[in-house]
Amino acid sequence: MKSLALVVLLCLGCGLMSSSFVLASPHMWSKLILTQHWPSTFCSMEHCDPKFDYWTLHGLWPDKGQECNSSWHFNVTLIQDLLPDMQKWWPDLITPASSEFWQYEWQKHGTCAAKAESLNSQHKYFGKVLELYHMVDLDGVMKKFNIVPSEAYYTFDHIEGIILNFYNVKPKIQCIHPKGGKVQILGQIEICFNSDFQLANCEHSETDTLRLIDFLNVKGTEFSVCDHATPVYYPPLKGKPSM
């Protein structure tokens, strides 16, 4: 009888473990979204001073899960060696001297990315974001193919085609859509990776929208997927002539 009871307990334990795994598995991400924004577009809405004339980091987001561990607090001392690169390539456009933007990105997205062993510390996460940013070199690719800030307009298909042909994966390109609908303003570009950090297609709905308040606690408009038929304005840095 003792043996039978032991078997029953073991089976129950296995069942509980299986149930736990089934419940947890849908929350494990399968794709990472490297997101960069254009400072002139952002600051035209949020009244900040866009000192950067290159694409800066917004974040690296798993495709599943948000705020996965509220007790895992951000600690800037753990990434001291990364700070010079973070301040240059991943600045807080509204309060440059603050680390609140990085704290927000860690708590909302980094704690979820950390489900993977390769990203399971703050240093691994922020270091990998910087690594992927430099590997992709979106700003360099845009300039290489003469997609530069200009008072002249681009077609959406031209911008998307350059990125698609170079990386051989589909990006998600987002714009601001001023009232009137005659032009859209280039604002944000997402490039995706699989769990092995290999480039992958970004999937999206044509109605995908990202409110700026969702990531910087600011009141403003929103980025949404660019319209294929509307001319695209890629605004130069204020006070700097278009290229």
Side-chain angles (χ1 to χ4, degrees):
M1 290 294 291
K2 288 184 178 179
S3 298
L4 179 60
L6 180 59
V7 170
V8 170
L9 286 172
L10 287 172
C11 289
L12 286 172
C14 291
L16 289 171
M17 290 175 64
S18 299
S19 298
S20 175
F21 176 78
V22 170
L23 288 172
S25 59
H27 300 291
M28 180 57 190
W29 55 268
S30 60
K31 188 174 290 185
L32 292 166
I33 304 164
L34 183 73
T35 309
Q36 300 175 52
H37 47 203
W38 181 240
S40 291
T41 300
F42 179 85
C43 286
S44 68
M45 300 175 293
E46 301 309 325
H47 309 294
C48 50
D49 186 8
K51 300 181 191 240
F52 306 93
D53 61 350
Y54 49 86
W55 288 80
T56 60
L57 276 162
H58 179 168
L60 183 69
W61 309 335
D63 61 348
K64 292 182 182 179
Q66 292 184 5
E67 299 178 357
C68 294
N69 188 343
S70 59
S71 65
W72 197 348
H73 300 299
F74 175 75
N75 183 350
V76 73
T77 65
L78 299 177
I79 56 170
Q80 284 294 317
D81 60 314
L82 301 177
L83 291 183
D85 270 355
M86 304 252 314
Q87 289 162 353
K88 182 174 183 179
W89 308 115
W90 199 344
D92 184 330
L93 297 174
I94 295 179
T95 52
S98 171
S99 63
E100 289 183 6
F101 184 22
W102 306 328
Q103 176 182 335
Y104 181 83
E105 288 297 306
W106 167 253
Q107 291 176 343
K108 185 170 184 178
H109 302 292
T111 56
C112 299
K115 290 178 180 289
E117 184 178 353
S118 56
L119 299 171
N120 66 359
S121 72
Q122 290 180 44
H123 197 278
K124 286 182 182 179
Y125 173 72
F126 289 106
K128 178 58 74 172
V129 179
L130 290 167
E131 178 187 328
L132 295 176
Y133 171 83
H134 289 300
M135 183 188 84
V136 166
D137 188 22
L138 175 65
D139 194 75
V141 169
M142 300 272 277
K143 290 174 180 173
K144 178 179 179 179
F145 292 98
N146 295 315
I147 304 293
V148 294
S150 173
E151 296 300 334
Y153 297 156
Y154 294 92
T155 66
F156 174 81
D157 289 342
H158 181 51
I159 296 174
E160 183 184 53
I162 292 294
I163 297 173
L164 177 60
N165 290 335
F166 185 83
Y167 298 110
N168 202 32
V169 292
K170 191 175 183 65
K172 176 158 66 172
I173 304 174
Q174 296 177 314
C175 293
I176 297 298
H177 302 268
K179 292 181 180 179
K182 294 182 179 179
V183 67
Q184 56 192 338
I185 304 171
L186 185 62
Q188 185 158 270
I189 296 177
E190 299 178 1
I191 295 177
C192 298
F193 296 83
N194 63 23
S195 57
D196 294 321
F197 303 110
Q198 301 299 310
L199 288 166
N201 289 319
C202 290
E203 299 174 5
H204 64 270
S205 161
E206 292 303 319
T207 59
D208 277 356
T209 295
L210 175 70
R211 292 178 56 80
L212 298 182
I213 197 170
D214 287 342
F215 67 89
L216 285 179
N217 295 320
V218 294
K219 294 180 180 179
T221 184
E222 55 194 22
F223 291 130
S224 59
V225 174
C226 300
D227 179 70
H228 283 254
T230 305
V232 179
Y233 178 46
Y234 184 7
L237 180 67
K238 187 177 180 181
K240 183 174 180 178
S242 59
M243 300 175 68

